[in-house]
Amino acid sequence: MGGIFHAAILFLVAAGLQVIFGVQKIFNLACGSFYALGAYVGISAVQAFIGAGGPPGLFLLPLALAGLLVGLVGVVVERGLLRFVYDRDETFQLLLTFALVLMLEDAIRMTWGTAPQSTAGLYLVYGQVRLLGATVPTYNLVVIGASLAIAAGIGWFLTRTAFGRIVRATAENREMAEALGVNMASVYARVFTLGTALGTLGGALVIPATAAMSEMGIELIVEAFAVVVIGGLGSMRGAFVGALVVGVLRAVAISVYPELEMLLIYLIVIGVLVLRPRGIFGEVAV
């Protein structure tokens, strides 16, 4: 169950990565930094909530709200930086998002310091339940349920709403969508903000189960890109399946032979690249 919990968090970050690439064709290396930013802001929000006398049982409200609100940094990044490199070579986009990784990491250190931070005692505030013969923290089930609901919500948004159809049309053919009158600046800003908010929400939701560290974003980037390679670039179904594969594989490796944790993931990635270079679900548009 620990692996599925990790997969649920990983899915949120990878889904943000996929939706941004699917529409804007940008490899957002900063997705891990947004995840770390969500974690730190989530901790501050919960500490402020508890410090103001809020009941610990309701800590999920400020935590999720902080994760979503800090996602608005995506508007600033997209409008302030990324829009200037859309028509440039992909190298410029990679360098810009990598620079964001370094800047956000330094900003986190300057704001919260270098010592790990955590929401001590809140992880088990909802207790534990017995499931399939194992004892599972109820919080894990809450996050897994939330992640499934978000996956269903994204599917509904992309297929059942007018803006979702615009997003899909833009992903399929940007020039045609633009010729039909679609406001690309608005679509790009909203899509990038959505992708950022998914990452920051993932960081906020994971934090009761682990400590926040400034380098946590770097570690997650590797796993997020493994998810993308396994599932298929630009595919939301791929993000879901890839996250499940990486999350469960990581948990099994940790419980059996921890030294093989990342090696197993890399082996799966290499196997997919050799047998199916476009990933399990191929080149599927968002």
Side-chain angles (χ1 to χ4, degrees):
M1 189 56 71
I4 298 177
F5 170 75
H6 186 70
I9 296 296
L10 197 52
F11 165 74
L12 294 176
V13 180
L17 191 63
Q18 295 281 49
V19 76
I20 289 172
F21 181 83
V23 177
Q24 297 169 266
K25 312 304 179 192
I26 286 180
F27 251 144
N28 181 24
L29 294 177
C31 64
S33 298
F34 293 140
Y35 165 80
L37 189 63
Y40 275 94
V41 174
I43 286 178
S44 295
V46 169
Q47 288 174 343
F49 178 74
I50 300 295
L58 294 179
F59 81 93
L60 254 175
L61 292 176
L63 189 66
L65 190 61
L68 289 172
L69 287 180
V70 78
L72 292 175
V73 74
V75 180
V76 179
V77 171
E78 198 280 334
R79 288 290 85 192
L81 297 173
L82 286 178
R83 69 188 177 101
F84 298 110
V85 298
Y86 285 140
D87 296 325
R88 293 198 178 190
D89 188 85
E90 292 176 353
T91 308
F92 285 91
Q93 301 167 3
L94 286 173
L95 287 174
L96 180 58
T97 56
F98 182 67
L100 279 172
V101 172
L102 302 179
M103 288 190 293
L104 286 174
E105 196 169 314
D106 281 346
I108 287 173
R109 286 179 181 146
M110 289 171 60
T111 307
W112 286 278
T114 56
Q117 299 196 20
S118 66
T119 55
L122 290 181
Y123 183 43
L124 296 177
V125 73
Y126 299 136
Q128 297 175 306
V129 295
R130 293 286 296 174
L131 188 64
L132 301 176
T135 302
V136 180
T138 306
Y139 181 76
N140 286 16
L141 300 179
V142 171
V143 171
I144 292 169
S147 189
L148 289 173
I150 290 171
I154 292 175
W156 175 84
F157 165 74
L158 291 174
T159 57
R160 301 292 182 183
T161 67
F163 185 69
R165 286 189 281 272
I166 290 174
V167 169
R168 289 165 57 206
T170 305
E172 289 287 341
N173 192 322
R174 171 188 167 181
E175 289 75 19
M176 180 62 73
E178 198 166 15
L180 292 173
V182 173
N183 185 338
M184 282 301 144
S186 173
V187 171
Y188 279 11
R190 286 197 255 178
V191 166
F192 193 82
T193 304
L194 172 63
T196 303
L198 287 171
T200 53
L201 179 62
L205 291 181
V206 79
I207 209 58
T210 186
M213 296 175 287
S214 58
E215 64 272 19
M216 65 188 294
I218 301 291
E219 295 174 1
L220 194 83
I221 287 175
V222 177
E223 294 184 3
F225 277 92
V227 168
V228 169
V229 171
I230 293 170
L233 196 56
S235 167
M236 294 304 291
R237 283 187 303 166
F240 186 85
V241 173
L244 202 56
V245 169
V246 172
V248 172
L249 201 62
R250 178 177 175 270
V252 170
I254 290 175
S255 62
V256 176
Y257 200 77
E259 288 79 2
L260 294 180
E261 175 191 351
M262 292 308 297
L263 178 61
L264 283 179
I265 294 174
Y266 287 135
L267 288 176
I268 295 293
V269 168
I270 292 171
V272 170
L273 285 174
V274 171
L275 299 174
R276 193 174 174 82
R278 293 182 177 178
I280 296 174
F281 290 97
E283 202 173 60
V284 181
V286 185

